[in-house]
Amino acid sequence: MESPHSVNSPRRTLSLSKQRRATVSFLDPDDKNSGFGLSGEHGPKPSEVYGFVGSITTVAASVIFLVWAYVPESWLQSVGITYYPSRYWALALPTYLLVTIALGVGFYIGLNFIATPPPTSKYSVFDEFTRDPLSPDCSVDPDEKPIEPISDIGIDRINDIMFNSAT
């Protein structure tokens, strides 16, 4: 008899039954009643597969590129590789790639500068999430004054604190 606590594996496994005695068993890989598994789903996640295939492809492409770029033509022809792109592209492709990335970063920074309001605009201080402070209630005893709700501090008060009280 197989224990319900045994592992679903085609390999020989050692499992402890409820009677605390060691048993050795060969398990049926088609047994769905095992206490171990992924609720009917088997195999790796697609993201793991894509990551593995992507890493292998990157390493293979890098090796092929380096062989093409650095091995002399006579060696490639002796191996039987006679059709390959011009060596010009071994320098041109990385250069084009780096220039494209630099231009993309510059374009992104430029778009951010265009989207940012000028310093004189009221939108650099206020936006749709701005909360005005509530007016203080003077009728409340100073000892029992409640905690003020969260609000933005006005620019006039900030300027007053920073520049007038510093003397």
Side-chain angles (χ1 to χ4, degrees):
M1 299 242 4
E2 292 181 10
S3 170
H5 300 290
S6 60
V7 178
N8 186 9
S9 172
R11 292 190 235 158
R12 183 177 164 201
T13 59
L14 177 68
S15 65
L16 296 175
S17 65
K18 289 184 181 180
Q19 292 85 15
R20 293 285 190 203
R21 62 183 175 92
T23 60
V24 177
S25 64
F26 289 96
L27 298 176
D28 182 18
D30 297 329
D31 185 16
K32 303 292 184 201
N33 296 329
S34 172
F36 184 80
L38 300 173
S39 67
E41 296 180 22
H42 299 285
K45 296 178 184 175
S47 61
E48 294 171 353
V49 173
Y50 293 149
F52 176 74
V53 171
S55 65
I56 296 297
T57 304
T58 302
V59 169
S62 299
V63 167
I64 290 171
F65 175 79
L66 292 174
V67 166
W68 166 62
Y70 291 110
V71 172
E73 289 183 30
S74 60
W75 290 10
L76 291 176
Q77 290 176 355
S78 68
V79 175
I81 301 173
T82 57
Y83 182 75
Y84 49 85
S86 170
R87 297 286 169 104
Y88 163 80
W89 294 107
L91 291 175
L93 284 177
T95 304
Y96 288 157
L97 180 67
L98 289 175
V99 168
T100 302
I101 290 171
L103 288 175
V105 168
F107 185 69
Y108 181 73
I109 291 171
L111 282 177
N112 281 328
F113 278 130
I114 290 171
T116 303
T120 57
S121 172
K122 72 173 187 166
Y123 295 111
S124 62
V125 178
F126 302 107
D127 63 357
E128 66 269 12
F129 302 107
T130 302
R131 292 185 182 182
D132 293 329
L134 300 174
S135 61
D137 189 8
C138 297
S139 64
V140 178
D141 185 26
D143 293 337
E144 297 178 7
K145 187 175 180 183
I147 298 174
E148 295 181 13
I150 296 176
S151 63
D152 293 329
I153 300 173
I155 191 71
D156 55 340
R157 186 163 179 209
I158 291 174
N159 286 336
D160 186 47
I161 292 170
M162 287 180 65
F163 302 115
N164 291 339
S165 64
T167 56

